[in-house]
PDB file of all heavy atoms in Angstrom:
ATOM      1  N   TYR A   4      65.996 -67.880 -70.272  1.00  0.00           N
ATOM      2  CA  TYR A   4      65.993 -68.725 -69.094  1.00  0.00           C
ATOM      3  C   TYR A   4      67.404 -68.860 -68.561  1.00  0.00           C
ATOM      4  O   TYR A   4      68.370 -68.659 -69.286  1.00  0.00           O
ATOM      5  CB  TYR A   4      65.416 -70.097 -69.443  1.00  0.00           C
ATOM      6  CG  TYR A   4      63.982 -70.022 -69.838  1.00  0.00           C
ATOM      7  CD1 TYR A   4      63.616 -69.868 -71.164  1.00  0.00           C
ATOM      8  CD2 TYR A   4      62.983 -70.060 -68.881  1.00  0.00           C
ATOM      9  CE1 TYR A   4      62.284 -69.781 -71.519  1.00  0.00           C
ATOM     10  CE2 TYR A   4      61.653 -69.974 -69.234  1.00  0.00           C
ATOM     11  CZ  TYR A   4      61.307 -69.835 -70.553  1.00  0.00           C
ATOM     12  OH  TYR A   4      59.993 -69.742 -70.907  1.00  0.00           O
ATOM     13  N   LYS A   9      67.015 -70.905 -73.744  1.00  0.00           N
ATOM     14  CA  LYS A   9      66.245 -69.813 -74.315  1.00  0.00           C
ATOM     15  C   LYS A   9      65.172 -70.338 -75.249  1.00  0.00           C
ATOM     16  O   LYS A   9      65.238 -71.460 -75.724  1.00  0.00           O
ATOM     17  CB  LYS A   9      67.141 -68.810 -75.010  1.00  0.00           C
ATOM     18  CG  LYS A   9      67.947 -69.373 -76.158  1.00  0.00           C
ATOM     19  CD  LYS A   9      68.860 -68.312 -76.710  1.00  0.00           C
ATOM     20  CE  LYS A   9      69.749 -68.888 -77.783  1.00  0.00           C
ATOM     21  NZ  LYS A   9      70.626 -67.902 -78.354  1.00  0.00           N
ATOM     22  N   ARG A  11      62.231 -68.731 -78.306  1.00  0.00           N
ATOM     23  CA  ARG A  11      61.715 -67.612 -79.095  1.00  0.00           C
ATOM     24  C   ARG A  11      60.247 -67.901 -79.388  1.00  0.00           C
ATOM     25  O   ARG A  11      59.915 -68.952 -79.928  1.00  0.00           O
ATOM     26  CB  ARG A  11      62.502 -67.463 -80.378  1.00  0.00           C
ATOM     27  CG  ARG A  11      61.893 -66.559 -81.420  1.00  0.00           C
ATOM     28  CD  ARG A  11      62.123 -65.101 -81.209  1.00  0.00           C
ATOM     29  NE  ARG A  11      63.537 -64.793 -81.302  1.00  0.00           N
ATOM     30  CZ  ARG A  11      64.001 -63.556 -81.259  1.00  0.00           C
ATOM     31  NH1 ARG A  11      63.184 -62.554 -81.116  1.00  0.00           N
ATOM     32  NH2 ARG A  11      65.287 -63.332 -81.332  1.00  0.00           N
ATOM     33  N   LEU A  27      53.675 -67.635-101.203  1.00  0.00           N
ATOM     34  CA  LEU A  27      53.683 -69.023-101.677  1.00  0.00           C
ATOM     35  C   LEU A  27      54.977 -69.372-102.408  1.00  0.00           C
ATOM     36  O   LEU A  27      55.453 -70.499-102.344  1.00  0.00           O
ATOM     37  CB  LEU A  27      52.499 -69.282-102.609  1.00  0.00           C
ATOM     38  CG  LEU A  27      51.166 -69.639-102.006  1.00  0.00           C
ATOM     39  CD1 LEU A  27      50.123 -69.841-103.101  1.00  0.00           C
ATOM     40  CD2 LEU A  27      51.259 -70.887-101.136  1.00  0.00           C
ATOM     41  N   GLN A  29      57.876 -68.165-101.748  1.00  0.00           N
ATOM     42  CA  GLN A  29      59.026 -68.039-100.849  1.00  0.00           C
ATOM     43  C   GLN A  29      59.096 -69.162 -99.816  1.00  0.00           C
ATOM     44  O   GLN A  29      59.950 -69.131 -98.935  1.00  0.00           O
ATOM     45  CB  GLN A  29      58.973 -66.686-100.135  1.00  0.00           C
ATOM     46  CG  GLN A  29      59.061 -65.514-101.079  1.00  0.00           C
ATOM     47  CD  GLN A  29      58.705 -64.203-100.407  1.00  0.00           C
ATOM     48  OE1 GLN A  29      58.340 -64.164 -99.248  1.00  0.00           O
ATOM     49  NE2 GLN A  29      58.825 -63.134-101.167  1.00  0.00           N
ATOM     50  N   GLN A  37      50.992 -78.338 -98.568  1.00  0.00           N
ATOM     51  CA  GLN A  37      50.139 -78.396 -97.372  1.00  0.00           C
ATOM     52  C   GLN A  37      49.162 -77.231 -97.345  1.00  0.00           C
ATOM     53  O   GLN A  37      47.981 -77.405 -97.054  1.00  0.00           O
ATOM     54  CB  GLN A  37      51.003 -78.375 -96.107  1.00  0.00           C
ATOM     55  CG  GLN A  37      51.798 -79.631 -95.892  1.00  0.00           C
ATOM     56  CD  GLN A  37      52.789 -79.489 -94.747  1.00  0.00           C
ATOM     57  OE1 GLN A  37      53.183 -78.398 -94.365  1.00  0.00           O
ATOM     58  NE2 GLN A  37      53.189 -80.623 -94.190  1.00  0.00           N
ATOM     59  N   VAL A  51      50.561 -70.656 -94.309  1.00  0.00           N
ATOM     60  CA  VAL A  51      51.722 -69.939 -94.851  1.00  0.00           C
ATOM     61  C   VAL A  51      52.324 -69.007 -93.800  1.00  0.00           C
ATOM     62  O   VAL A  51      53.549 -68.961 -93.622  1.00  0.00           O
ATOM     63  CB  VAL A  51      51.340 -69.161 -96.134  1.00  0.00           C
ATOM     64  CG1 VAL A  51      52.445 -68.216 -96.560  1.00  0.00           C
ATOM     65  CG2 VAL A  51      51.003 -70.139 -97.260  1.00  0.00           C
ATOM     66  N   LEU A  52      51.486 -68.279 -93.075  1.00  0.00           N
ATOM     67  CA  LEU A  52      51.986 -67.345 -92.075  1.00  0.00           C
ATOM     68  C   LEU A  52      52.729 -68.084 -90.958  1.00  0.00           C
ATOM     69  O   LEU A  52      53.780 -67.633 -90.495  1.00  0.00           O
ATOM     70  CB  LEU A  52      50.847 -66.501 -91.498  1.00  0.00           C
ATOM     71  CG  LEU A  52      51.225 -65.434 -90.469  1.00  0.00           C
ATOM     72  CD1 LEU A  52      52.284 -64.476 -90.997  1.00  0.00           C
ATOM     73  CD2 LEU A  52      49.970 -64.663 -90.036  1.00  0.00           C
ATOM     74  N   ALA A  60      61.962 -67.042 -86.938  1.00  0.00           N
ATOM     75  CA  ALA A  60      62.563 -67.481 -85.675  1.00  0.00           C
ATOM     76  C   ALA A  60      63.862 -68.254 -85.915  1.00  0.00           C
ATOM     77  O   ALA A  60      64.852 -68.054 -85.204  1.00  0.00           O
ATOM     78  CB  ALA A  60      61.574 -68.338 -84.889  1.00  0.00           C
ATOM     79  N   GLY A  66      70.469 -68.496 -87.332  1.00  0.00           N
ATOM     80  CA  GLY A  66      71.094 -68.094 -88.585  1.00  0.00           C
ATOM     81  C   GLY A  66      70.724 -68.978 -89.760  1.00  0.00           C
ATOM     82  O   GLY A  66      71.383 -68.946 -90.801  1.00  0.00           O
ATOM     83  N   LEU A  83      62.379 -80.630 -87.519  1.00  0.00           N
ATOM     84  CA  LEU A  83      63.173 -80.037 -88.595  1.00  0.00           C
ATOM     85  C   LEU A  83      64.144 -81.059 -89.163  1.00  0.00           C
ATOM     86  O   LEU A  83      65.006 -81.568 -88.448  1.00  0.00           O
ATOM     87  CB  LEU A  83      63.950 -78.827 -88.085  1.00  0.00           C
ATOM     88  CG  LEU A  83      63.127 -77.620 -87.671  1.00  0.00           C
ATOM     89  CD1 LEU A  83      64.040 -76.544 -87.095  1.00  0.00           C
ATOM     90  CD2 LEU A  83      62.333 -77.076 -88.841  1.00  0.00           C
ATOM     91  N   PHE A  90      63.967 -77.583 -81.624  1.00  0.00           N
ATOM     92  CA  PHE A  90      62.570 -77.984 -81.450  1.00  0.00           C
ATOM     93  C   PHE A  90      61.676 -76.791 -81.761  1.00  0.00           C
ATOM     94  O   PHE A  90      62.029 -75.647 -81.470  1.00  0.00           O
ATOM     95  CB  PHE A  90      62.338 -78.470 -80.017  1.00  0.00           C
ATOM     96  CG  PHE A  90      63.181 -79.660 -79.664  1.00  0.00           C
ATOM     97  CD1 PHE A  90      64.442 -79.497 -79.125  1.00  0.00           C
ATOM     98  CD2 PHE A  90      62.710 -80.943 -79.894  1.00  0.00           C
ATOM     99  CE1 PHE A  90      65.236 -80.591 -78.810  1.00  0.00           C
ATOM    100  CE2 PHE A  90      63.495 -82.041 -79.584  1.00  0.00           C
ATOM    101  CZ  PHE A  90      64.755 -81.870 -79.041  1.00  0.00           C
ATOM    102  N   LEU A  93      54.002 -75.004 -83.975  1.00  0.00           N
ATOM    103  CA  LEU A  93      53.183 -73.977 -84.610  1.00  0.00           C
ATOM    104  C   LEU A  93      51.728 -74.169 -84.216  1.00  0.00           C
ATOM    105  O   LEU A  93      51.288 -75.298 -83.982  1.00  0.00           O
ATOM    106  CB  LEU A  93      53.293 -74.069 -86.136  1.00  0.00           C
ATOM    107  CG  LEU A  93      54.697 -74.044 -86.732  1.00  0.00           C
ATOM    108  CD1 LEU A  93      54.639 -74.358 -88.222  1.00  0.00           C
ATOM    109  CD2 LEU A  93      55.358 -72.701 -86.484  1.00  0.00           C
ATOM    110  N   CYS A  96      44.712 -69.987 -84.945  1.00  0.00           N
ATOM    111  CA  CYS A  96      43.261 -69.910 -84.780  1.00  0.00           C
ATOM    112  C   CYS A  96      42.787 -68.826 -85.735  1.00  0.00           C
ATOM    113  O   CYS A  96      43.590 -68.278 -86.489  1.00  0.00           O
ATOM    114  CB  CYS A  96      42.894 -69.597 -83.327  1.00  0.00           C
ATOM    115  SG  CYS A  96      43.465 -67.990 -82.746  1.00  0.00           S
ATOM    116  N   VAL A 104      60.207 -71.670 -80.893  1.00  0.00           N
ATOM    117  CA  VAL A 104      61.426 -72.397 -81.219  1.00  0.00           C
ATOM    118  C   VAL A 104      62.249 -72.477 -79.942  1.00  0.00           C
ATOM    119  O   VAL A 104      62.339 -71.499 -79.197  1.00  0.00           O
ATOM    120  CB  VAL A 104      62.223 -71.676 -82.329  1.00  0.00           C
ATOM    121  CG1 VAL A 104      63.545 -72.362 -82.589  1.00  0.00           C
ATOM    122  CG2 VAL A 104      61.413 -71.604 -83.603  1.00  0.00           C
ATOM    123  N   VAL A 109      59.039 -78.637 -76.985  1.00  0.00           N
ATOM    124  CA  VAL A 109      58.150 -77.523 -76.672  1.00  0.00           C
ATOM    125  C   VAL A 109      56.849 -77.692 -77.442  1.00  0.00           C
ATOM    126  O   VAL A 109      56.808 -78.321 -78.492  1.00  0.00           O
ATOM    127  CB  VAL A 109      58.860 -76.180 -77.022  1.00  0.00           C
ATOM    128  CG1 VAL A 109      59.079 -76.036 -78.510  1.00  0.00           C
ATOM    129  CG2 VAL A 109      58.150 -74.996 -76.437  1.00  0.00           C
ATOM    130  N   SER A 122      28.988 -78.503 -71.399  1.00  0.00           N
ATOM    131  CA  SER A 122      29.060 -79.895 -71.848  1.00  0.00           C
ATOM    132  C   SER A 122      30.440 -80.226 -72.422  1.00  0.00           C
ATOM    133  O   SER A 122      30.978 -81.311 -72.178  1.00  0.00           O
ATOM    134  CB  SER A 122      27.962 -80.199 -72.865  1.00  0.00           C
ATOM    135  OG  SER A 122      28.110 -79.387 -74.016  1.00  0.00           O
ATOM    136  N   CYS A 127      36.137 -82.708 -71.438  1.00  0.00           N
ATOM    137  CA  CYS A 127      37.597 -82.644 -71.567  1.00  0.00           C
ATOM    138  C   CYS A 127      38.335 -82.131 -70.335  1.00  0.00           C
ATOM    139  O   CYS A 127      39.565 -82.166 -70.311  1.00  0.00           O
ATOM    140  CB  CYS A 127      37.973 -81.795 -72.772  1.00  0.00           C
ATOM    141  SG  CYS A 127      37.418 -80.094 -72.689  1.00  0.00           S
ATOM    142  N   ASN A 129      39.067 -82.180 -66.059  1.00  0.00           N
ATOM    143  CA  ASN A 129      38.904 -82.988 -64.854  1.00  0.00           C
ATOM    144  C   ASN A 129      38.183 -82.170 -63.777  1.00  0.00           C
ATOM    145  O   ASN A 129      37.882 -80.989 -63.984  1.00  0.00           O
ATOM    146  CB  ASN A 129      40.249 -83.543 -64.372  1.00  0.00           C
ATOM    147  CG  ASN A 129      41.238 -82.459 -63.994  1.00  0.00           C
ATOM    148  OD1 ASN A 129      40.889 -81.450 -63.383  1.00  0.00           O
ATOM    149  ND2 ASN A 129      42.497 -82.672 -64.362  1.00  0.00           N
ATOM    150  N   GLY A 161      53.908 -84.865 -78.508  1.00  0.00           N
ATOM    151  CA  GLY A 161      53.769 -85.495 -79.817  1.00  0.00           C
ATOM    152  C   GLY A 161      52.777 -86.625 -79.824  1.00  0.00           C
ATOM    153  O   GLY A 161      52.904 -87.580 -80.580  1.00  0.00           O
ATOM    154  N   ARG A 184      45.169 -62.219 -74.642  1.00  0.00           N
ATOM    155  CA  ARG A 184      44.894 -61.030 -75.442  1.00  0.00           C
ATOM    156  C   ARG A 184      43.382 -60.817 -75.399  1.00  0.00           C
ATOM    157  O   ARG A 184      42.642 -61.620 -74.846  1.00  0.00           O
ATOM    158  CB  ARG A 184      45.347 -61.241 -76.892  1.00  0.00           C
ATOM    159  CG  ARG A 184      46.819 -61.576 -77.031  1.00  0.00           C
ATOM    160  CD  ARG A 184      47.647 -60.320 -76.990  1.00  0.00           C
ATOM    161  NE  ARG A 184      48.989 -60.609 -77.451  1.00  0.00           N
ATOM    162  CZ  ARG A 184      50.062 -60.230 -76.801  1.00  0.00           C
ATOM    163  NH1 ARG A 184      49.960 -59.586 -75.664  1.00  0.00           N
ATOM    164  NH2 ARG A 184      51.244 -60.494 -77.276  1.00  0.00           N
ATOM    165  N   ILE A 188      43.950 -66.508 -76.583  1.00  0.00           N
ATOM    166  CA  ILE A 188      44.876 -66.880 -75.520  1.00  0.00           C
ATOM    167  C   ILE A 188      45.869 -67.872 -76.121  1.00  0.00           C
ATOM    168  O   ILE A 188      45.478 -68.750 -76.896  1.00  0.00           O
ATOM    169  CB  ILE A 188      44.128 -67.546 -74.349  1.00  0.00           C
ATOM    170  CG1 ILE A 188      43.223 -66.524 -73.655  1.00  0.00           C
ATOM    171  CG2 ILE A 188      45.096 -68.187 -73.353  1.00  0.00           C
ATOM    172  CD1 ILE A 188      42.334 -67.119 -72.573  1.00  0.00           C
ATOM    173  N   TYR A 189      47.144 -67.720 -75.763  1.00  0.00           N
ATOM    174  CA  TYR A 189      48.093 -68.758 -76.175  1.00  0.00           C
ATOM    175  C   TYR A 189      48.915 -69.219 -74.984  1.00  0.00           C
ATOM    176  O   TYR A 189      49.159 -68.483 -74.051  1.00  0.00           O
ATOM    177  CB  TYR A 189      48.976 -68.312 -77.341  1.00  0.00           C
ATOM    178  CG  TYR A 189      49.987 -67.239 -77.050  1.00  0.00           C
ATOM    179  CD1 TYR A 189      51.270 -67.564 -76.633  1.00  0.00           C
ATOM    180  CD2 TYR A 189      49.679 -65.891 -77.264  1.00  0.00           C
ATOM    181  CE1 TYR A 189      52.219 -66.596 -76.411  1.00  0.00           C
ATOM    182  CE2 TYR A 189      50.615 -64.914 -77.038  1.00  0.00           C
ATOM    183  CZ  TYR A 189      51.879 -65.260 -76.612  1.00  0.00           C
ATOM    184  OH  TYR A 189      52.814 -64.285 -76.396  1.00  0.00           O
TER     185      TYR A 189
END
Side-chain angles (χ1 to χ4, degrees):
Y4 295 92
K9 61 184 175 179
R11 167 81 64 174
L27 276 179
Q29 298 167 357
Q37 290 172 338
V51 169
L52 182 55
L83 293 176
F90 299 89
L93 306 171
C96 64
V104 175
V109 67
S122 61
C127 61
N129 62 40
R184 302 278 194 229
I188 293 174
Y189 69 90

